[in-house]
Amino acid sequence: MPNVFQPDFRVPRTAGASEAPSPEAAPPITKADTQDYFTEVAYDYRAWSPSYNMHFGFWRLGLNPLRREGMLVEMNRAVGRALKLDEPRATQEAPRRRCMIDLGCGAGATARTLVGDDPSLYAVTVTNVPVQNSIAVRLDAGAGVADRMAHIEADYTRTGLPTAQADGAWAVESACYASGTAKADFVREAARLLKPGARLAVVDGFLLRRRPGRLAGWLHRLWADSWAVPKLAVRGDFVEALRSNGFEDIEVQSLRWRVAPSALHIPALATRFALAELWKARGRLSPWRRKHIVASYCALVLGLFWRDFDYCMVTAKRSG
């Protein structure tokens, strides 16, 4: 009977090599692969979060680390704080509608949280996976925010949205799906969409060097292939891409310890989910669903390689 651990877990042996195997050794992940992956596993994410928060949680003092959903929602609010959405307005200032853009939204959970918290916000979410928009529309109605949410199906590096109209934008664990180590196509489109002075927040995993150590590089490749990620951004390359595309006041904050409590939910949840789904499917999960489970375990282990990997929030302001 096929099982979830179908990928080869052996570390490649290269004579005298101390570096990670070349990413070119495996077929490159394409946009079609990523779209297929998210289509096939769309409903599997509900096991992690009934509200479809498709990211790690943000722990702070006062939150119960055993309650995952509260930490996941707090990550959404941390994005709002990074965009300075909670800054008080002058009392005489009339309420102003503000339009935010979620670049690679999944099922729109971050937008739903922020729009629900602030009646002045409207959100446009961008994904190229139709089933995610279908899920989002249903959840918007349940949250009572459907009139202030719009979901478009597009490539987030070529959205077709108007230039310089967004009051803020974010990408939570989605910028990694852009190409290259700088994610320049993603950064370029974010810069085009934002008004001068508006802010971008990116929450994601980052490589700390272009050539990770051998074991970390192999693990990164296994994780990336399993979650249909071309390659994580290299943090320095990503920051330079922001500068080159007109961003300033760039700040990088490690969230390693903030996300650790939610990451520790992975082993029990992934094991329970894998056994239940294998039983229901009589051991015949599709390849992407098997890889999705494998990547969940890899994500936890990858976080232990501190020299090679970090989970960060990067914020920047559009100049001009």
Side-chain angles (χ1 to χ4, degrees):
M1 181 177 74
N3 62 64
V4 69
F5 298 106
Q6 209 168 37
D8 186 353
F9 276 80
R10 294 170 298 174
V11 179
R13 297 183 178 276
T14 306
S18 60
E19 297 171 333
S22 169
E24 288 74 25
I29 295 292
T30 66
K31 291 184 178 182
D33 291 330
T34 301
Q35 192 170 17
D36 289 345
Y37 161 73
F38 277 111
T39 299
E40 285 195 30
V41 306
Y43 294 102
D44 290 351
Y45 275 98
R46 193 178 188 282
W48 176 254
S49 168
S51 301
Y52 283 85
N53 288 287
M54 297 163 62
H55 51 73
F56 286 112
F58 184 100
W59 181 84
R60 60 169 174 76
L61 196 62
L63 289 181
N64 185 342
L66 300 179
R67 295 185 178 275
R68 186 171 59 254
E69 193 71 13
M71 294 186 288
L72 301 178
V73 172
E74 186 63 22
M75 179 64 84
N76 299 335
R77 291 181 172 137
V79 169
R81 292 192 294 270
L83 295 175
K84 304 189 183 302
L85 301 181
D86 55 355
E87 287 186 345
R89 295 186 296 270
T91 55
Q92 69 272 17
E93 183 181 341
R96 181 174 65 88
R97 293 181 177 183
R98 295 176 292 172
C99 180
M100 319 303 293
I101 299 180
D102 187 335
L103 296 166
C105 62
T110 302
R112 214 162 16 254
T113 296
L114 298 182
V115 166
D117 286 349
D118 188 335
S120 75
L121 294 184
Y122 290 71
V124 177
T125 74
V126 182
T127 177
N128 63 354
V129 183
V131 67
Q132 291 182 336
N133 281 340
S134 299
I135 295 168
V137 168
R138 174 173 53 81
L139 293 173
D140 293 349
V145 296
D147 59 332
R148 291 185 287 127
M149 297 275 284
H151 306 286
I152 68 170
E153 183 184 337
D155 180 339
Y156 67 7
T157 66
R158 298 189 303 274
T159 64
L161 294 169
T163 299
Q165 295 299 305
D167 295 285
W170 62 82
V172 179
E173 295 186 19
S174 58
C176 57
Y177 287 96
S179 60
T181 60
K183 311 302 179 186
D185 50 355
F186 162 84
V187 173
R188 191 178 305 113
E189 180 68 354
R192 185 186 72 80
L193 294 171
L194 288 169
K195 294 177 180 178
R199 301 183 69 84
L200 171 70
V202 175
V203 177
D204 220 324
F206 290 87
L207 293 174
L208 301 182
R209 46 184 179 167
R210 289 194 180 95
R211 299 187 69 84
R214 183 180 173 212
L215 183 56
W218 166 80
L219 187 63
H220 165 261
R221 189 68 268 156
L222 175 61
W223 168 86
D225 288 344
S226 298
W227 258 344
V229 175
K231 186 176 185 179
L232 283 175
V234 174
R235 191 172 63 185
D237 294 352
F238 185 74
V239 169
E240 183 55 38
L242 289 170
R243 290 197 185 99
S244 299
N245 283 276
F247 284 97
E248 59 188 17
D249 294 344
I250 302 167
E251 296 182 10
V252 179
Q253 177 188 5
S254 174
L255 301 183
R256 188 190 304 277
W257 294 109
R258 296 289 188 179
V259 302
S262 63
L264 290 174
H265 286 239
I266 289 174
L269 176 68
T271 301
R272 186 170 65 247
F273 176 81
L275 293 175
E277 294 302 309
L278 283 166
W279 176 266
K280 286 191 291 186
R282 298 179 183 272
R284 294 184 177 87
L285 294 183
S286 69
W288 279 124
R289 294 190 75 203
R290 292 197 300 272
K291 289 181 178 183
H292 174 68
I293 298 168
V294 169
S296 299
Y297 291 105
C298 290
L300 181 62
V301 181
L302 190 60
L304 301 177
F305 289 84
W306 289 16
R307 292 181 58 201
D308 299 289
F309 173 84
D310 200 1
Y311 189 93
C312 301
M313 177 184 286
V314 181
T315 58
K317 184 174 72 172
R318 185 73 173 94
S319 60

